[in-house]
Each structure stands twice: as structure tokens, then as C-alpha cells.
């Protein structure tokens, strides 16, 4: 992520410095009643991490829209974090929060944390940040001038088969119903960008073409850098796809390096779904209700980046590991970009000389 530790500390100081004590419960928090072990089991986060999140969320929940809520901010957050961790509200939390307030708390907190993405999901915007990010990627895989890995992330949902047109639109290439969001991450698994929430049948190239980040990148607003993309994307001056039929050792080595970076994205998404098990099954969805799913996905993305900064370990994996998404290329051949082909070949020749 583009934020180094000093900036995160400055953000924390700004958040903490602007907080007034809650009249309802003073300096105590509902999380104080959990042991460290129970806290991690219930929320999949550590106490220092939760304390940081609580202060950040409390500031934002003090808007007029939430002042009428009978629940303190930390109680609302407790309900949401519990749902993110398990995909449901566990008995330990249900005993502390009125049942009628659980869903409302989840919706409110998800919207607030999703709104924190401009602070905690940080794309490298300065020359120094871009150079630092690209340098780390080159150290890992050997490909220069790459800012991140681009991929669609699919999250399972339940869609009604009785609404056949809508149901079909949610079926992805793996054969299950899902919603899909566009992710970019760096070589350390920090999320740099998350956008969109579309039905699972959406092509990843469509996501990229219609996304804010995609338009910025293709219009050269972020400089002459590449993004690693799978076979569902078309090769462009900024999206670097693998060589479909490698004819030389150089191209084979390039594809191996490309796959190494692709695995970083796979590992990041697997980590997210392990810590935030709600992402393994997002419940029922209709095309008109994707914003709520989007808020949960983006909120978990924010929390993923914060958890990494606090070095919070992952909980034990539950269930079968999900197979990586293979990509959904267009059925019709994509237009060949000869300029991009030449640029990719020059990159390969420069980074992978013959041994």
C-alpha cells in the first residue's frame, strides 16, 4: 500500500485527537468483556486493531443520520465485525445486541467503513510511491514498471431460480451464482483499489473499461506503468497479459513471472475470504440491491488493509479452498493492439535476456 507507517500513525493521531468521549458509556467499550482469545475467535481481529477501527468508525457514525440510533457506536461495530467474520451473528453477540438492531447496525456500519476506503485503500499517486511500488514488484517477479495486479473477485450469492432472466445473469464461468468486483493489489497483498459490484456473468474487460481506475489508467493519468491482468483482459498499453503461445525461453520466463504475480492476488483474495467469511456467501441478491453487497465487500477490503498493518494473523481456514477464477474471455476474438504487442515484447526482451 502507498501509505508508509508514519502516515498511518498520523491518520491514527488525527482520528483519536478528534474524538469526544461517548456520554453513554464513557471510555469503556463493549469489546472489553472479551478475552483476547475470545475476541479473535469472535471477530478474527486483534484488540489493538479493533480499538483503532472503533475510533475511526465512531467519528464517522456521529453524523446526524445515526444519532437517533439507540445503540452506541461500538455496539453497532461489534455486530458488523461479527457478521463479517462468520457470515452470521454468533450467540455471543446476539446476547449483547437486540435482534431487531442487528441488520440495521450491519447496514449502517458497512456504509461507514466502505466510506473510509479513500483513507485506507490507497493507490500510489505520487512519483515516489509509484516507483517504490514498482520496485518491490520487480524484486519479486522480475517484471519492471508494474504497479499492481488486476483481477475480478467473485463472491457467491443466492439468486432465485424462479426469476430466470435475473438468475442467469448471476451465473459466472465457474457455474455458480455470484457478484463480481474489480480489485487491484500490490505485491504484498495490500488492496490498492476496489470498484464496482456487478452480476457474476460480467466480463472482466467490461469491468475495467467502465471503472474509474480503468479510465484513469488508460488515459495515462498514472504514468507509463503496467498492471498484471489475466486472459480475460485484452492486452493494452497498460494491461499486461500473458503470452498465449510462448515461442521462446524469454516468453516462458515472462509467463512464469506473470503467474507469480497472479498468485499474489489469489492469495490476497483467499486471505480476505478466510478472515471475513461473510464473503464466502453473501446471501440473497437482486440486481437492484447490489449496493448493499458492494458496501460489505468494500468494508471488508478496508478492514483487510488495516489488519495487515496491525499484522493480525489469519484464523484457521474453514471449509474447502475455493478454486481460482479462470477468467472469462470474450467469445469473439478481441481486437489485436499491435502497439501494445510491441511494447510487451520490448518489456520481455529487456527483463528476460537469453541465458
Amino acid at each position: 500500500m502507498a501509505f508508509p507507517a508514519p502516515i498511518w500513525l498520523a491518520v491514527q493521531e488525527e482520528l483519536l485527537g478528534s474524538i469526544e468521549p461517548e456520554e453513554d458509556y464513557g471510555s469503556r467499550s463493549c469489546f472489553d468483556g472479551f478475552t483476547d482469545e475470545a475476541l479473535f475467535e469472535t471477530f478474527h481481529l486483534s484488540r489493538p486493531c479493533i480499538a483503532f477501527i472503533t475510533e475511526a468508525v465512531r467519528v464517522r457514525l456521529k453524523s446526524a443520520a445515526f444519532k437517533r440510533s439507540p445503540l452506541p457506536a461500538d455496539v453497532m461495530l461489534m455486530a458488523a465485525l461479527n457478521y463479517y467474520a462468520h457470515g452470521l451473528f454468533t450467540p455471543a453477540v446476539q446476547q449483547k445486541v437486540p435482534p431487531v438492531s442487528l441488520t440495521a447496525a450491519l447496514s449502517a456500519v458497512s456504509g461507514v467503513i466502505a466510506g473510509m476506503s479513500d483513507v485506507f485503500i490507497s493507490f500510489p499517486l505520487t512519483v515516489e510511491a509509484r516507483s517504490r511500488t514498482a520496485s518491490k514488484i520487480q524484486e519479486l517477479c522480475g517484471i519492471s514498471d508494474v504497479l499492481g495486479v488486476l483481477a475480478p473477485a467473485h463472491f457467491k450469492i443466492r439468486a432465485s431460480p424462479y426469476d430466470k432472466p435475473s438468475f442467469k445473469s448471476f451465473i459466472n464461468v465457474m457455474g455458480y451464482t455470484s457478484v463480481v468486483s474489480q480489485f487491484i493489489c500490490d505485491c504484498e497483498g495490500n488492496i490498492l483499489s476496489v470498484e464496482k459490484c456487478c452480476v457474476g456473468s460480467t466480463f472482466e474487460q467490461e469491468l475495467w473499461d467502465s471503472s474509474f481506475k480503468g479510465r484513469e489508467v488508460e488515459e495515462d493519468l498514472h504514468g507509463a506503468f503496467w498492471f498484471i491482468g489475466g486472459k480475460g483482459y485484452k492486452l493494452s498499453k497498460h494491461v499486461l497479459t500473458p503470452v498465449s503461445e510462448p515461442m521462446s525461453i524469454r516468453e516462458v520466463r515472462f509467463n512464469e513471472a506473470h503467474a507469480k504475480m497472479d498468485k499474489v492476488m489469489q492469495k490476497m483474495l483467499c486471505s480476505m475470504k478466510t478472515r471475513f467469511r461473510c464473503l464466502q456467501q453473501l446471501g440473497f441478491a437482486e440486481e437492484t440491491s447490489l449496493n448493499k453487497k458492494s458496501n460489505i465487500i468494500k468494508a471488508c477490503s478496508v478492514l483487510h488493509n488495516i489488519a495487515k498493518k496491525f499484522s493480525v494473523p489469519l484464523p484457521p481456514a474453514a471449509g474447502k479452498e475455493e478454486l481460482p477464477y479462470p477468467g472469462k474471455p470474450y467469445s469473439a476474438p478481441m481486437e489485436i493492439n499491435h502497439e501494445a504487442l510491441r511494447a510487451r515484447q520490448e518489456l520481455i526482451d529487456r527483463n528476460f535476456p537469453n541465458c
Side-chain angles (χ1 to χ4, degrees), residues 14-22 54-56 58-59 62:
E14 181 179 350
L15 287 170
L16 298 180
S18 64
I19 292 170
E20 300 173 1
E22 290 277 350
T54 300
E55 301 308 332
R58 187 182 298 169
V59 172
K62 281 191 170 183

Side-chain angles (χ1 to χ4, degrees), residues 19-38:
I19 292 170
E20 300 173 1
E22 290 277 350
E23 294 179 1
D24 294 335
Y25 55 92
S27 60
R28 286 190 56 77
S29 165
C30 63
F31 296 104
D32 294 341
F34 294 87
T35 64
D36 288 349
E37 292 77 10

Side-chain angles (χ1 to χ4, degrees), residues 52-96:
F52 178 83
I53 296 166
T54 300
E55 301 308 332
V57 170
R58 187 182 298 169
V59 172
R60 290 163 172 82
L61 276 175
K62 281 191 170 183
S63 65
F66 301 111
K67 283 182 178 177
R68 295 188 299 273
S69 173
L71 298 178
D74 67 329
V75 176
M76 296 175 69
L77 177 63
M78 176 180 65
L81 292 183
N82 183 238
Y83 179 84
Y84 300 150
H86 298 280
L88 48 81
F89 303 105
T90 63
V93 168
Q94 290 180 1
Q95 293 171 4
K96 299 175 183 290

Side-chain angles (χ1 to χ4, degrees), residues 111-162:
V112 167
I113 298 180
M116 292 160 53
S117 61
D118 60 336
V119 177
F120 297 106
I121 297 179
S122 164
F123 197 81
L125 297 177
T126 67
V127 173
E128 180 184 2
R130 290 169 186 153
S131 297
R132 183 170 58 247
T133 300
S135 177
K136 288 181 178 180
I137 289 176
Q138 186 171 7
E139 288 177 10
L140 177 65
C141 72
I143 306 177
S144 61
D145 304 320
V146 172
L147 276 188
V149 190
L150 168 68
H154 283 260
F155 304 97
K156 292 180 180 178
I157 56 96
R158 295 185 180 94
S160 173
Y162 298 104

